[in-house]
Amino acid sequence: MKMIKKNLKYQSPGINEENRYEKLHTVTFDNSQEASILIAREICDLVKSKQEKKKNCVIGFATGSSPTKVYQEIIKIHNDESLSFNNVITFNLDEYFPIEKDDNNSYHNFMKENLFDHIDIPKENINIPSGDISEKDITKFCSNYEKKIEKYGGIDIQLLGIGRTGHIGFNEPGSHFNSTTRLITLDHTTRFDASKSFNGIENVPSKAITMGIRTIFNSKRIIMMAWGIQKGLIVKKSVENNITSLIPTTYLQNHKNTTLVSR
Ligand code: GLP
């Protein structure tokens, strides 16, 4: 029997017998390593093709455990194939609020450790919401974040994990489709899930600054990752439920270039 090699090329969901229940393009792998290699390859191919055209490549990065293998693969490609990232502009999805940049649990720290310290994206091209600004400056900061994304022509490729509540970035259930970068209050489940690394739920910040649903939706390509049994239920809801603000991932069913990659 001829083995069909899986690929991430976008296809309209729900058009074949075997994916008749899918409202979101989904590719399922036996292991997250194989999937992460393909995701890293897609990102690096885009960086390279933009480089050849002397253009910037705008990438939206995510945090959490889901993208870590993708980051390891990107670093490997950078080293093995001498691929430079000097044409890359990055916008991270979110950051806790309040939090210092050098806090072990900050997403600034996460990105440095897992990716930015190992490849050659110019420092001035890196954008992550600031968790250490004064509360009165947040609205201005968020609107500037949006303007900066627009100034670079929008996000070419956006990586996403899924929170157990169905959040993308930190857009918790109830987030409006038209939401843009803003301050949001975290759900109890989200804080509970983060409590281990913060050494107790009482140490998890109660808020975060996150790109909005609209900000994410405007990306030209979106790859959403969900690994393992603990994400099974939310993956099923994301793919099969009707679109509802109660499950923010379902908004992506209307996006014409989103692939959910799962194991
Ligand atoms: C946090 C992040 C999300 C991430 C989620 C899932 O809430 N803000 O962007 O998708 O965690 O994390 P994990 O990938 O570890 O399951």
Side-chain angles (χ1 to χ4, degrees):
M1 202 176 83
K2 200 173 160 230
M3 283 285 285
I4 300 173
K5 230 177 140 15
K6 291 198 171 136
N7 69 73
L8 303 183
K9 199 172 158 14
Y10 177 77
Q11 282 174 9
S12 287
I15 52 171
N16 299 316
E17 170 66 9
E18 62 270 24
N19 65 10
R20 65 196 184 281
Y21 296 118
E22 283 178 19
K23 300 187 172 88
L24 193 63
H25 177 226
T26 307
V27 187
T28 307
F29 287 82
D30 294 335
N31 63 72
S32 58
Q33 180 72 20
E34 188 190 347
S36 300
I37 289 174
L38 283 186
I39 298 170
R41 184 54 67 187
E42 179 170 336
I43 293 171
C44 291
D45 282 353
L46 187 67
V47 170
K48 203 170 168 190
S49 76
K50 293 265 184 181
Q51 233 162 54
E52 284 161 5
K53 293 178 198 135
K54 305 224 170 325
K55 283 188 173 165
N56 286 329
C57 185
V58 185
I59 307 180
F61 282 123
T63 49
S65 58
S66 305
T68 52
K69 286 202 182 90
V70 174
Y71 296 157
Q72 285 160 18
E73 282 306 314
I74 291 178
I75 295 165
K76 191 166 180 301
I77 293 172
H78 169 69
N79 291 329
D80 294 356
E81 300 172 26
S82 307
L83 177 67
S84 172
F85 289 79
N86 63 7
N87 64 325
V88 170
I89 315 284
T90 72
F91 288 92
N92 257 77
L93 282 166
D94 48 14
E95 177 60 287
Y96 290 106
F97 185 88
I99 202 161
E100 296 296 325
K101 289 190 174 62
D102 60 5
D103 189 300
N104 272 344
N105 285 303
S106 82
Y107 287 164
H108 279 79
N109 190 50
F110 175 96
M111 289 309 298
K112 260 168 74 66
E113 282 188 354
N114 286 281
L115 185 65
F116 295 153
D117 276 354
H118 310 281
I119 56 175
D120 64 338
I121 301 177
K123 275 206 166 51
E124 61 278 15
N125 291 5
I126 294 173
N127 301 281
I128 306 177
S130 296
D132 57 356
I133 54 179
S134 123
E135 223 164 322
K136 67 173 185 5
D137 296 331
I138 293 178
T139 312
K140 186 87 197 132
F141 177 89
C142 292
S143 99
N144 286 344
Y145 205 72
E146 290 287 326
K147 281 188 198 135
K148 205 164 177 188
I149 294 173
E150 259 172 57
K151 188 186 114 189
Y152 284 107
I155 292 169
D156 292 309
I157 186 162
Q158 175 70 57
L159 273 185
L160 294 177
I162 310 181
R164 261 207 306 153
T165 60
H167 70 219
I168 43 179
F170 269 134
N171 290 282
E172 297 286 24
S175 293
H176 197 280
F177 177 70
N178 283 329
S179 54
T180 52
T181 304
R182 69 203 185 288
L183 185 69
I184 191 160
T185 299
L186 298 175
D187 277 16
H188 180 78
T189 312
T190 301
R191 293 184 69 223
F192 177 82
D193 285 350
S195 61
K196 211 167 159 204
S197 51
F198 277 89
N199 260 324
I201 194 163
E202 65 282 8
N203 301 322
V204 182
S206 58
K207 298 193 180 215
I209 296 178
T210 181
M211 278 185 196
I213 300 288
R214 168 72 76 184
T215 327
I216 294 169
F217 197 87
N218 283 345
S219 308
K220 291 162 198 134
R221 167 78 167 138
I222 298 174
I223 299 180
M224 188 153 67
M225 297 161 286
W227 315 132
I229 197 126
Q230 68 280 15
K231 295 284 167 78
L233 186 59
I234 195 62
V235 164
K236 185 173 162 57
K237 288 182 181 171
S238 308
V239 173
E240 294 181 8
N241 263 61
N242 289 332
I243 296 172
T244 165
S245 69
L246 298 178
I247 311 165
T249 46
T250 59
Y251 284 126
L252 297 178
Q253 292 174 6
N254 272 342
H255 188 270
K256 294 287 171 268
N257 200 6
T258 292
T259 299
L260 170 62
V261 186
S262 75
R263 171 179 70 87

